[in-house]
Amino acid sequence: MKSKLLACPYIVWMILFTIIPLGIVFYYALTDSVTGQFTLANLAGMGNYLPIFLRSIWLAMFSALICLVIGYPVAYFIAQCKPTTQRFLEMLIMLPMCMSFLLRTLAWVAMLEDTGIINSFICAIGLKPLPLIRTNGAVILGMVYNYLPYMILPLYSVIMKIDPRLIEAALDLGCTPRLVFSRVILPLSGPGILSGITMVFVPAVSTFYISQKLGSPGTTLIGDVIESQFKTAYNPNLGAAMSLVLMVLIFICVAVMNRFGESDGEEVIAKV
């Protein structure tokens, strides 16, 4: 009984700041802005923004894959270090996260803009400045830089839990180090890969500040459209409908992660 009472503050918090806001989103997404009656017109109106929606998914997924390519070797290296070194490297990875997200993005603006640090150096050595900002590449760079720790930390926590006896058993059975990695370590780190991809994809697909500062009108993302619906277009119903679709997409990602992340480890252990 006491344990249930201790959960009451959490339940109240979830009702006030999660359930009620979600209910408001559902209400606005499924009602008319003038009459307040039930309608699916807001969801149907998202068809006009389908290219932007697909671009957001593509850039977010591409950023997540780049984070995986960069983050997996880093996480694996940290997991092989001594405990004191691991703690130091973890601190270095989390240190940029202590700085404001806005400041980190603005720092890249200062580096990539036409008169920024990189182009100033290029001009100083007699070369023409490069179009580094206001491109898809700049937006992806901003996503990778800001969300890379979200990939490294889940991978590191999963790789750390791999039983070294499984690796020893695979080596004793004649596996080469490459086979040990591909058949034991990589499959066992599958839950971390899925978790990292989800943790990078979810904020990247809904971001708007990175695309505003590093992108151009041609790199507008769905987060920019949602913000404009609330701030400039004054159509919160359409903005809520877009938010609802993003929410469903996030739930699908979490469901896939839970479905496939639980069985990977058991299957690999059975094979070994």
Side-chain angles (χ1 to χ4, degrees), residues 58-194:
W58 159 246
L59 293 180
M61 184 56 67
F62 193 68
S63 301
L65 293 177
I66 294 177
C67 287
L68 176 60
V69 173
I70 298 174
Y72 195 98
V74 175
Y76 185 81
F77 173 77
I78 296 175
Q80 307 306 312
C81 295
K82 297 179 181 179
T84 53
T85 306
Q86 289 180 12
R87 289 191 291 269
F88 175 73
L89 294 176
E90 283 183 78
M91 182 194 68
L92 291 182
I93 292 172
M94 293 186 292
L95 190 60
M97 299 173 67
C98 299
M99 186 186 302
S100 170
F101 176 86
L102 306 182
L103 292 178
R104 298 201 306 269
T105 305
L106 288 175
W108 276 108
V109 174
M111 294 180 64
L112 298 178
E113 62 183 354
D114 297 335
T115 57
I117 298 173
I118 297 177
N119 272 325
S120 297
F121 174 77
I122 292 175
C123 293
I125 60 178
L127 299 176
K128 294 183 179 180
L130 300 175
L132 301 177
I133 203 169
R134 295 181 292 276
T135 63
N136 285 336
V139 175
I140 291 174
L141 176 62
M143 291 180 180
V144 171
Y145 173 74
N146 282 290
Y147 303 131
L148 183 59
Y150 299 153
M151 177 66 71
I152 295 176
L153 295 178
L155 284 170
Y156 163 72
S157 63
V158 170
I159 295 174
M160 275 291 298
K161 297 177 182 178
I162 297 178
D163 192 341
R165 292 176 297 180
L166 294 174
I167 300 175
E168 295 176 1
L171 291 172
D172 291 339
L173 292 173
C175 287
T176 62
R178 180 178 297 180
L179 288 176
V180 171
F181 177 79
S182 62
R183 295 187 179 182
V184 179
I185 298 176
L186 188 60
L188 283 175
S189 56
I193 293 174
L194 288 173

Side-chain angles (χ1 to χ4, degrees), residues 218-259:
T219 58
T220 300
L221 302 182
I222 194 65
D224 301 311
V225 179
I226 293 174
E227 184 195 28
S228 67
Q229 295 301 319
F230 284 94
K231 288 188 174 182
T232 58
Y234 301 108
N235 190 356
N237 297 75
L238 181 57
M242 295 179 179
S243 302
L244 180 61
V245 173
L246 276 181
M247 194 187 312
V248 172
L249 181 63
I250 291 171
F251 286 155
I252 292 174
C253 292
V254 174
V256 170
M257 181 185 67
N258 292 335
R259 170 63 181 85

Side-chain angles (χ1 to χ4, degrees), residues 11-22:
I11 295 174
V12 173
W13 177 274
M14 290 295 294
I15 292 174
L16 291 177
F17 298 105
T18 302
I19 304 301
I20 293 178
L22 288 179

